[in-house]
Amino acid sequence: MTKREPYMCSYFVDIVRGKVYTFPYLSRARTEFILRELSWAVEEVKRKRCPICGRQFKRYFSLKNHLSNTTCSMVLLDEIFKASNDFKNNGRNGRGY
């Protein structure tokens, strides 16, 4: 993943909800690794809460819109890309995932 696009945050919410299974252009193994690394964010999304600022939402649509259109998206994208790079650098070899 080289492009930092806000729709990735929308995919993150959909993956947590079980609507989609992988990020675009990423393997299932890498997606599962990212979800394990960001388990704190997964729990917040399940509660319909922004994992960055903590704002509570009544609907997942509102959460996805918030994560796509605010600075929270850039912070969450940084975390997603860090986890993705960890998988690429040592996830498959060093940790046995």
Side-chain angles (χ1 to χ4, degrees):
M1 294 192 301
T2 57
K3 294 176 91 177
R4 295 177 180 234
E5 299 187 30
Y7 73 86
M8 294 298 286
C9 293
S10 181
Y11 269 96
F12 183 76
V13 174
D14 286 341
I15 290 168
V16 169
R17 293 180 66 202
K19 300 278 184 184
V20 211
Y21 297 107
T22 61
F23 287 106
Y25 311 111
L26 294 184
S27 68
R28 177 80 174 163
R30 184 177 279 196
T31 299
E32 289 174 355
F33 180 83
I34 291 170
L35 292 178
R36 278 194 300 271
E37 291 291 306
L38 300 179
S39 61
W40 55 273
V42 169
E43 291 303 315
E44 292 297 309
V45 168
K46 285 181 181 177
R47 295 184 190 130
K48 297 180 190 168
R49 183 181 306 248
C50 174
I52 306 306
C53 69
R55 184 172 168 196
Q56 183 73 42
F57 295 92
K58 292 185 179 182
R59 298 176 13 203
Y60 282 109
F61 175 80
S62 302
L63 174 61
K64 287 170 63 172
N65 191 33
H66 169 77
L67 285 175
S68 295
N69 297 317
T70 62
T71 56
C72 293
S73 67
M74 296 312 295
V75 177
L76 184 58
L77 283 172
D78 281 341
E79 296 297 325
I80 291 171
F81 285 105
K82 284 179 196 171
S84 179
N85 287 334
D86 285 348
F87 178 84
K88 184 173 72 174
N89 295 336
N90 60 12
R92 286 175 285 179
N93 304 349
R95 298 183 197 168
Y97 290 121

